[in-house]
Amino acid sequence: MGDSAKKILYVNSEIFPYLPESDISRIGRYLPQGIQERKKEIRSFMPRYGCINERKNQLHEVIRLSGMNIIINDVDRPLVIKVASISAARMQVYFIDNEDYFHRKQVYSDENGKFFEDNGERAVFFARGVLETVKKLRWAPDIVHCQGWISHILPLYLKKVYSDDPIFSDSKVILSLYGDISKETFPENLKEKIRFGDITDADLGAMDTSDGIGLAKLAVSYSDGIIMGTGHLDGGLAEFCGKSGLPILPYDAETIENGSYIDVYNNFYDRF
């Protein structure tokens, strides 16, 4: 695709300052700004977790984008889209919201540190919510960059359910891997909850375990390029990526530290 890769869709699990600073949230904040400054168009999404103060961060609902329902487990769940601006970056952030999934005050685990039982469903809702909202925006991304575990179902949906849609027919998926929930487990019926459209058991074959590693492997199997967001991936995930045959951008702590990773990532995008 080369220099024609002008539109980058960021699907983030975390963005600073809406969540505390971390490796993922800092890149979620500064990478889109840097890529926009390099003359590419960007859109950025994350979940509207309940700990995000809407008044302080000036979130407001986008009525023209809200109003859809997403069916999970035979239950219709309203999709609410909110937006806020990071004025210093001249950048908007879209938030995927739903009262059942994203109004609790904790992000992924309860007050006792227990991983939420419905986190898999939350990831399904987030992935489908992002794709449906981008369709409504009529904004066709050249690159979809997924960052953080809650984005890991989106590559499957884009390639197996939405690939015939003209909005996404030419989109390439870049996956940044952090191993952020590699030791967490999901209910055994997660595959049933993920299944949507014409997705079959074979399509879910890479997800050989119902945990963070299995979900990451599923994401890798429907991506076009991998960015190593950390130098330490658990459970053979780095080996799995190596065997995938995909272009891989290795982790480089120095470029992350000094900010030059933005140019490195930008050049990586231009390979697709």
Side-chain angles (χ1 to χ4, degrees), residues 59-93:
L59 272 67
H60 61 271
E61 184 175 350
V62 186
I63 302 298
R64 68 183 178 88
L65 297 176
S66 301
M68 291 179 282
N69 278 3
I70 291 176
I71 301 173
I72 301 176
N73 272 5
D74 298 322
V75 178
D76 276 8
R77 301 187 188 275
L79 172 62
V80 176
I81 309 300
K82 295 176 180 174
V83 70
S85 296
I86 300 177
S87 55
R90 292 182 296 173
M91 183 176 91
Q92 285 190 319
V93 176

Side-chain angles (χ1 to χ4, degrees), residues 217 220 228 233-245 248:
K217 288 179 178 179
V220 169
M228 294 300 184
L233 288 178
D234 295 328
L237 190 52
E239 182 182 0
F240 183 84
C241 292
K243 290 179 178 178
S244 71
I248 296 176

Side-chain angles (χ1 to χ4, degrees), residues 192-235:
E192 288 298 320
K193 294 176 178 179
I194 291 174
R195 195 175 284 110
F196 166 59
D198 295 326
I199 290 171
T200 66
D201 286 342
D203 297 328
L204 295 165
M207 189 177 172
D208 52 1
T209 52
S210 290
D211 56 13
I213 295 293
L215 197 61
K217 288 179 178 179
L218 181 69
V220 169
S221 65
Y222 290 99
S223 295
D224 298 286
I226 306 296
I227 294 175
M228 294 300 184
T230 176
H232 307 284
L233 288 178
D234 295 328

Side-chain angles (χ1 to χ4, degrees), residues 17-35:
Y18 306 111
L19 289 184
E21 279 200 73
S22 66
D23 291 344
I24 302 177
S25 72
R26 280 192 299 271
I27 291 178
R29 161 64 179 85
Y30 293 106
L31 176 61
Q33 176 183 352
I35 294 301

